[in-house]
Amino acid sequence: MVKIDLSNRKDVNGYLDKRRFQQLKNLELLNLENTSTFGGIGVLRHNMELRYLNLNNTRVSGYLDDLGNFTELRYVNLANTAVRGNIAAFENSKELRFLNLHSTKVFGYIAALQDTTQLKDFENFDVSNTKITCPQEGPLRAVLLKLGFTESQLKDLHEMDGLELRWTLS
């Protein structure tokens, strides 16, 4: 098991190196939050054991599809990065409990997650300031209502340019 936590270190900057990440086959935790790291998340596609990924406030870019086969992911924070792609890339991430995509270029229908992950079990779910949309009706709506969203909040979701949806459960 390999864990790398270099978060909040001003001296950490540089490119995500594909060769180095290929050597880390047992990488379970990668936290580069608030560093000057840059490059594409595609270099991680060989790190299938990854459970915790925090690249918040980095200059990382790339496509969510590169994380699509990571079935063990539990924590993903890509907020304030240049990552793009369809949220449906997480449909195989059945263990996912924390997802923060705030201020990314992610798009798609949130319904892509409703059958493969238990949204009601999420500890944190933030897709604010993205192009993610929510269905007007269906099972997801019931889950959102149970989580404390009001009908008036959900009524206008389909009309919004991006989904302002964020919650943290205790």
Side-chain angles (χ1 to χ4, degrees), residues 10-166:
K10 294 183 187 335
D11 61 331
V12 175
N13 59 54
Y15 192 75
L16 293 173
D17 187 340
K18 181 179 180 178
R19 288 175 287 140
R20 291 190 183 174
F21 281 102
Q22 284 179 333
Q23 296 170 359
L24 299 171
K25 296 289 184 197
N26 296 321
L27 182 64
E28 286 191 14
L29 180 146
L30 179 61
N31 188 353
L32 299 173
E33 180 177 27
N34 295 321
T35 63
S36 295
T37 305
F38 61 93
I41 60 173
V43 301
L44 300 173
R45 73 172 57 117
H46 299 288
N47 302 105
M48 299 306 291
E49 301 296 319
L50 199 60
R51 294 172 187 257
Y52 182 103
L53 177 62
N54 189 349
L55 300 174
N56 181 29
N57 288 321
T58 62
R59 295 182 293 152
V60 171
S61 60
Y63 296 91
L64 287 182
D65 287 347
D66 290 323
L67 303 177
N69 292 325
F70 288 61
T71 58
E72 299 300 318
L73 276 174
R74 293 184 180 159
Y75 182 104
V76 176
N77 188 346
L78 299 173
N80 304 303
T81 64
V83 172
R84 62 182 65 230
N86 194 318
I87 193 168
F90 290 114
E91 66 186 356
N92 294 322
S93 301
K94 296 178 182 180
E95 301 297 320
L96 198 57
R97 296 296 176 259
F98 184 104
L99 183 61
N100 188 346
L101 300 173
H102 170 76
S103 292
T104 60
K105 296 175 182 179
V106 176
F107 60 89
Y109 292 101
I110 198 169
L113 297 181
Q114 72 186 19
D115 294 331
T116 55
T117 59
Q118 296 298 317
L119 288 173
K120 64 182 181 191
D121 294 334
F122 268 68
E123 297 166 16
N124 179 287
F125 187 82
D126 187 345
V127 292
S128 58
N129 200 24
T130 65
K131 297 291 185 185
I132 294 172
T133 56
C134 184
Q136 234 178 318
E137 297 179 22
L140 179 60
R141 186 176 198 79
V143 170
L144 294 176
L145 288 170
K146 280 185 182 179
L147 289 168
F149 290 91
T150 66
E151 278 290 347
S152 62
Q153 287 173 312
L154 298 180
K155 178 182 174 197
D156 297 328
L157 286 178
H158 67 283
E159 299 169 7
M160 297 173 64
D161 194 19
L163 180 63
E164 290 294 324
L165 179 57
R166 178 184 313 181

